[in-house]
Amino acid sequence: MSDNFKKRKSTFSKKLLAWYNENSRDLPWRKTNNPYKIWISEVMLQQTQVGTVIPYYNRFLERFPDLPALAQAPLDDVLKQWEGLGYYARARNLHKAANEVVKDYDCKIPDNYLELIKIYGIGPYTAAAVASIAFGEDVPVVDGNVYRVLARVNKISEPIASTAVKKKFAEIAAELLPTGHASDFNQAMMELGALICTPRNPKCELCPVSFCCAVKLAKENPEWLPIKKVSVERPHYNIAVGIIHRKGEIFIDQRPVKGLLGGLWEFPGGKQEAGESLENCVAREIQKKFGLQIKVKTLFLNIKHAYTHFKITLYAFDCEFVSGQPEAKLNWRWVTPAELPNYAFPKSNKKIVDKITGTSDEH
Ligand code: SF4
């Protein structure tokens, strides 16, 4: 932190809090101090836009109004409520953590950072957010928005990928945090990054902390900060799956709970191998995984989808069941098309479900 900035930190906090008081958005999780509700909102908001989260947050709390309700629910129900929100490990971790709190903390969410971070799946960000917003503990929260604001205000050009640099940002945020105001201050920093100090076209003319912003004072375009690690091109895979029809029913299987999209349901299939046709890929994968012989018919739908580390094109084929019986230990079902919406599918598979059930908005 520059000497100049240190001198101005008290004015920084005052101006930021006054701005937040006037300009903060009216969001459902800001109407409560309930640690359970704040925890849910913070987990949902990771990697996800506020506008996307609001309806999920409301529906989730309607279905699981408190911690015991979430802990007692089957994981399938939790994943169903999360369907479409992505990053499903968040839902699985939440469910596991809720059970841990019921069992080890007598149903009471711990009121401090050091205890919260011991709970399964709760990392430094969530622990700091819940501790400060729900319980007022003076710990700083540093998310992507806060990194951006601090990088620009202090003109920090080191890439934020390394642990050492992240620690440096956390120290600056802690230094700025006015004692006793952690809840509002942390939310104000995140709100400033979301509304004013945006990645592109920041609104410096409306910014309450422009008086001490190093990049602004240097008359530079702030967009060059923060520096992130150089992104590498994600690999692409072709995935072929079968919509296997048998006497009015369709075959689906559940992914193992551990791993990508764990616990979600899907249409069976797999990755195309070099030199293999998509039709042969579907037949091979389904024979290999489930021992089912099928006749691959026509392409029903293809979907492009990007995950964090790779991209796929998913080809879904209508198939006819010929023979075979999957092993009982695998989790699979024959379901009617009308029953498909009862299961939680990943986003790409959900488009297939929507087209089968006629709820797709694709024309
Ligand atoms: S003055 Fe501009 S660059 Fe600096 S913190 Fe405010 S919005 Fe961001």
Side-chain angles (χ1 to χ4, degrees):
M1 187 183 299
S2 69
D3 288 345
N4 189 30
F5 188 56
K6 268 186 193 161
K7 278 187 217 140
R8 297 180 182 207
K9 75 172 196 183
S10 146
T11 319
F12 178 98
S13 313
K14 276 190 200 131
K15 284 187 179 262
L16 179 68
L17 288 172
W19 171 84
Y20 180 68
N21 204 23
E22 288 289 308
N23 297 283
S24 61
R25 287 168 292 178
D26 185 19
L27 301 174
W29 44 88
R30 294 207 173 131
K31 299 182 182 22
T32 179
N33 285 329
N34 181 318
Y36 168 71
K37 294 181 179 175
I38 287 165
W39 181 14
I40 301 297
S41 72
E42 288 301 335
V43 174
M44 287 187 169
L45 285 164
Q46 289 163 25
Q47 325 268 6
T48 314
Q49 302 279 335
V50 163
T52 307
V53 167
I54 292 173
Y56 277 91
Y57 172 84
N58 290 331
R59 279 198 303 267
F60 197 90
L61 288 178
E62 238 170 70
R63 172 68 184 80
F64 313 114
D66 52 28
L67 188 92
L70 175 60
Q72 282 157 19
L75 177 60
D76 264 353
D77 286 6
V78 179
L79 289 169
K80 184 66 196 165
Q81 291 302 320
W82 208 272
E83 188 184 47
L85 201 53
Y87 300 98
Y88 294 92
R90 297 181 297 175
R92 294 193 300 275
N93 291 348
L94 250 185
H95 186 246
K96 196 165 172 181
N99 278 285
E100 188 180 328
V101 174
V102 168
K103 189 167 151 280
D104 298 342
Y105 294 87
D106 199 21
C107 263
K108 271 192 81 185
I109 296 173
D111 64 0
N112 63 82
Y113 178 88
L114 290 176
E115 278 301 315
L116 281 162
I117 203 160
K118 290 182 193 163
I119 295 171
Y120 185 86
I122 295 192
Y125 169 79
T126 310
V130 174
S132 62
I133 298 170
F135 299 110
E137 186 180 356
D138 283 333
V139 283
V141 171
V142 189
D143 72 346
N145 287 319
V146 178
Y147 278 126
R148 190 165 55 254
V149 172
L150 291 178
R152 290 172 177 176
V153 167
N154 293 285
K155 204 169 165 184
I156 299 171
S157 55
E158 294 149 278
I160 53 174
S162 78
T163 313
V165 176
K166 283 183 178 157
K167 192 163 166 256
K168 178 172 168 178
F169 276 91
E171 283 165 4
I172 297 172
E175 182 84 17
L176 284 171
L177 199 154
T179 310
H181 295 282
S183 174
D184 278 354
F185 179 80
N186 284 335
Q187 293 186 81
M189 285 289 280
M190 293 190 274
E191 195 77 335
L192 187 72
L195 300 182
I196 301 288
C197 195
T198 45
R200 300 277 158 263
N201 303 315
K203 302 171 191 70
C204 299
E205 66 288 356
L206 300 176
C207 179
V209 300
S210 61
F211 74 99
C212 67
C213 174
V215 175
K216 173 79 167 52
L217 295 173
K219 297 190 168 44
E220 293 173 15
N221 181 345
E223 289 180 7
W224 72 278
L225 286 171
I227 307 284
K228 296 183 181 164
K229 67 175 178 199
V230 186
S231 65
V232 277
E233 184 60 27
R234 286 173 286 181
H236 173 269
Y237 305 111
N238 282 335
I239 306 290
V241 301
I243 306 161
I244 310 170
H245 298 269
R246 187 193 72 173
K247 295 182 189 159
E249 291 183 322
I250 292 170
F251 183 89
I252 57 172
D253 70 279
Q254 190 175 29
R255 296 176 66 88
V257 171
K258 285 193 177 150
L260 181 72
L261 310 173
L264 295 181
W265 291 80
E266 64 180 7
F267 296 92
K271 204 187 291 177
Q272 184 185 32
E273 291 182 353
E276 182 182 48
S277 73
L278 290 164
E279 287 85 349
N280 286 350
C281 169
V282 180
R284 174 183 55 74
E285 287 282 348
I286 289 170
Q287 158 68 37
K288 187 173 91 187
K289 289 182 188 160
F290 299 102
L292 293 180
Q293 280 73 51
I294 55 165
K295 192 189 281 176
V296 181
K297 296 171 87 180
T298 50
L299 182 66
F300 180 72
L301 187 63
N302 70 66
I303 300 144
K304 289 189 188 308
H305 191 71
Y307 294 97
T308 314
H309 300 296
F310 59 92
K311 299 179 200 171
I312 62 164
T313 305
L314 183 73
Y315 296 88
F317 286 88
D318 267 322
C319 302
E320 193 181 305
F321 171 78
V322 176
S323 63
Q325 174 70 19
E327 287 183 46
K329 68 175 185 192
L330 299 168
N331 217 355
W332 52 270
R333 275 177 211 172
W334 289 100
V335 296
T336 64
E339 287 167 336
L340 284 170
N342 299 336
Y343 294 84
F345 287 87
K347 211 171 207 165
S348 51
N349 278 241
K350 180 73 167 52
K351 290 187 181 163
I352 305 172
V353 171
D354 289 348
K355 190 167 174 193
I356 293 172
T357 55
T359 52
S360 169
D361 53 10
E362 285 177 23
H363 299 287

